Amino acid sequence: MSDILVTGGAGYIGSHTTLQLLEQGHNVWVIDNLSNSSPESLHRVQTLTGKSLQFIPGDILDRALLDKLFSEQHIDAVI
């Protein structure tokens, strides 16, 4: 089981990717600034899979946020 960070994970493609990763047993972290998406998609993904994910509201351009995330969590892959 890998820890995977999905950037833009609340959008259409990201939420479908997150759904598949959760169904395959991965731990999923989602980072999204919600500029073109809604957290509702992540609630639906969790309902469909019966599994939880970690949501980080933020932008991938925020270097301090990413530094903090990668220093505190062991992320195996980024999509």
Side-chain angles (χ1 to χ4, degrees), residues 5-8 29-34 55-73 75:
L5 174 64
V6 179
T7 63
W29 296 79
V30 170
I31 186 168
D32 201 306
N33 64 10
L34 302 175
F55 175 63
I56 302 152
D59 197 298
I60 62 167
L61 298 177
D62 183 343
R63 181 160 182 119
L65 176 65
L66 293 178
D67 286 344
K68 183 175 190 273
L69 173 65
F70 285 113
S71 69
E72 293 177 356
Q73 304 300 324
I75 303 294

Side-chain angles (χ1 to χ4, degrees), residues 2-51:
S2 299
D3 288 347
I4 301 176
L5 174 64
V6 179
T7 63
Y12 181 78
I13 294 170
S15 63
H16 283 79
T17 301
T18 298
L19 179 101
Q20 291 297 313
L21 291 168
L22 287 172
E23 286 182 338
Q24 293 175 15
H26 297 286
N27 296 317
V28 179
W29 296 79
V30 170
I31 186 168
D32 201 306
N33 64 10
L34 302 175
S35 65
N36 194 27
S37 58
S38 167
E40 181 59 32
S41 63
L42 299 175
H43 295 297
R44 290 180 185 151
V45 165
Q46 292 178 95
T47 298
L48 288 169
T49 62
K51 299 177 181 178

